[in-house]
Amino acid sequence: MTLSPALLEDALRWRHQFHQEPELGYQEHKTSDIVAQQLEVAGLRVFRGLAGTAVIGTLENGPGPVIGLRADMDALPITEKGDVPWRSSQPGVMHACGHDGHTAILLAAARQLAATRQFSGTVHFIFQPAEENLGGARKMVEEGLFQRFPMDAVYAMHNWPGMPLGTLAVNPGAMMASLDSFEITLNGKSCHAAMPESGADPMVVAAELILALQTIPSRRLSPLASAVVSVTQIHGGEAINVIPEQIVLRGTVRCLQTDVRDRVRSLIGNFVSTLPKPFGVCGKIEWLPGYPVTANHAGPAEQVRTVARDMFGAESVKWQVNPSMASEDFACMMEACPGAYFWLGADGETPSAPLHNARYDFNDDLIPLGIEFWQTLVEKALPKADVSSPRR
């Protein structure tokens, strides 16, 4: 398969522009304008409005199955510390997860497929906002993504530092953990710090509770279950000599099985309601909207595996890999439609910085591989009828 130098040059230019002009979730106005304009130039039908800044480009080429390919567009609230020429121009915002590369790859793949058309069916190119913690995929589903654009399967790729370039990982099940975030409020009785007996100290309860929650993965679950409970914020107090009336804890839970997720949530709720009582403190918990486990469907996962073996060779395809305890809101799309999510190795001769690191930058050598993979997947999943066979 040959990709034109002009296409690769455009894809690289888009990638660097997206990186230099990053936009946070639901604020991807300039990014989505560029995407929509380029899709229209390529001859696709373009739809806008879902989840505010989402863009969907539809490419029809005769009868056949319908699939979706998704890329995420949003950046992270991180100050970039790298020194690349296309460094972020927006203070405190950068593409630290490679969404700039994902968007450029899918945009170039749309143009390539519109030009070659060696498939029979329909492809929806889904450019999604707000993947980072804001649930853009869920919002698109809730606003009718799959009702307006019915699909037989939907796919998403993610660059993956720690795996070498030219490798791919996919599972016939879980790839990423579920995500739940919580806010625990502990209400006690304020008093002078030198006379703690006259109050009810929520600070002590916070310390006890943080330690108690760590016993859930280690003592309340089977060692074969996968769960992480992390308290990441503690807020409370004003004066150094005053025991505060209220402490607020925030944190996250990650699980790889839905039943484990339900059990962990229940156990945390029990700890919050019961542990503070002997201290004279009241506890309550609020669960913030989260993501389910990113679990691939067997058929689409096998399709990805087959294409990857043809492209990279069987030895470069990782099947049944250990899932990541990070999370991905593409899971919300796969709750509504069969699909597969996979990782493309991102490490060149020099290993990449980790995702969400202030010195991370997408490996541009991945661009042609990503475009070629999307093109090959479409042509395999939507095979063109063989018109050369004689009719009988």
Side-chain angles (χ1 to χ4, degrees):
M1 182 182 299
T2 302
L3 301 174
S4 74
L7 177 65
L8 294 176
E9 187 176 307
D10 283 346
L12 185 63
R13 175 173 52 82
W14 295 331
R15 207 289 281 182
H16 290 172
Q17 182 176 1
F18 295 146
H19 190 95
Q20 197 163 30
E21 300 172 348
E23 297 172 299
L24 297 174
Y26 298 123
Q27 300 174 32
E28 308 93 340
H29 302 291
K30 187 167 185 177
T31 302
S32 61
D33 284 346
I34 294 169
V35 167
Q37 179 186 24
Q38 292 299 327
L39 292 173
E40 288 172 348
V41 168
L44 279 71
R45 288 191 295 133
V46 176
F47 304 86
R48 306 184 69 174
L50 284 179
T53 50
V55 181
I56 299 170
T58 297
L59 180 60
E60 297 175 329
N61 198 49
V66 181
I67 64 172
L69 311 179
R70 172 274 213 172
D72 32 21
M73 299 187 294
D74 57 322
L76 282 156
I78 297 175
T79 298
E80 185 163 10
K81 294 183 178 179
D83 56 0
V84 294
W86 47 88
R87 187 174 184 223
S88 171
S89 63
Q90 306 301 314
V93 183
M94 74 168 288
H95 273 292
C97 201
H99 297 185
D100 49 345
H102 302 165
T103 300
I105 285 172
L106 188 60
L107 193 53
R111 196 168 95 181
Q112 174 73 0
L113 284 158
T116 57
R117 293 182 177 266
Q118 295 301 307
F119 68 94
S120 184
T122 299
V123 185
H124 297 299
F125 298 88
I126 305 164
F127 295 86
Q128 178 209 310
E131 187 277 329
E132 300 288 359
N133 298 321
L134 296 175
R138 170 175 281 123
K139 192 170 181 64
M140 289 187 73
V141 172
E142 290 174 348
E143 292 184 3
L145 171 64
F146 295 111
Q147 285 73 42
R148 294 179 61 181
F149 307 93
M151 302 174 205
D152 299 302
V154 64
Y155 299 87
M157 69 166 63
H158 204 294
N159 78 99
W160 207 251
M163 286 173 46
L165 202 68
T167 62
L168 182 147
V170 64
N171 287 339
M175 287 294 294
M176 307 281 276
S178 62
L179 164 65
D180 288 296
S181 300
F182 57 80
E183 181 175 283
I184 297 168
T185 303
L186 301 171
N187 288 304
K189 180 181 178 183
S190 180
C191 65
H192 196 294
M195 293 174 277
E197 74 283 359
S198 62
D201 191 349
M203 188 70 74
V204 172
V205 175
E208 294 280 355
L209 186 58
I210 290 170
L211 292 175
L213 295 183
Q214 301 313 304
T215 68
I216 292 175
S218 65
R219 289 295 178 268
R220 301 302 302 274
L221 301 177
S222 165
L224 301 178
S226 299
V228 175
V229 179
S230 294
V231 178
T232 57
Q233 296 180 24
I234 179 168
H235 301 275
E238 295 176 304
I240 198 170
N241 61 344
V242 175
I243 288 175
E245 182 173 326
Q246 185 179 89
I247 296 290
V248 175
L249 306 176
R250 298 189 183 99
T252 186
V253 176
R254 310 297 174 105
C255 302
L256 288 176
Q257 300 89 16
T258 300
D259 59 335
V260 173
R261 180 191 188 194
D262 293 341
R263 174 140 175 80
V264 170
R265 285 176 57 116
S266 175
L267 287 168
I268 291 176
N270 288 340
F271 271 118
V272 171
S273 63
T274 60
L275 185 146
K277 287 182 179 179
F279 297 88
V281 172
C282 176
K284 67 176 184 178
I285 186 168
E286 178 185 0
W287 290 97
L288 306 178
Y291 307 154
V293 177
T294 304
N296 287 339
H297 297 252
E302 185 60 48
Q303 183 73 264
V304 169
R305 183 191 192 189
T306 299
V307 172
R309 282 179 161 179
D310 290 345
M311 275 189 61
F312 305 125
E315 69 283 355
S316 296
V317 179
K318 302 178 184 299
W319 181 252
Q320 296 283 21
V321 298
N322 289 331
S324 169
M325 295 307 290
S327 302
E328 165 62 67
D329 79 340
F330 184 66
C332 300
M333 291 192 183
M334 290 199 294
E335 271 195 325
C337 177
Y341 174 89
F342 56 95
W343 304 329
L344 281 180
D347 284 355
E349 292 183 6
T350 302
S352 171
L355 299 175
H356 291 213
N357 182 282
R359 299 189 184 278
Y360 168 88
D361 186 38
F362 186 85
N363 184 354
D364 289 329
D365 290 340
L366 191 52
I367 290 175
L369 293 179
I371 299 169
E372 183 179 346
F373 188 91
W374 280 141
Q375 181 179 358
T376 306
L377 176 68
V378 169
E379 292 174 356
K380 295 283 188 183
L382 311 178
K384 198 172 180 65
D386 184 0
V387 296
S388 62
S389 300
R391 294 185 178 179
R392 297 178 182 268

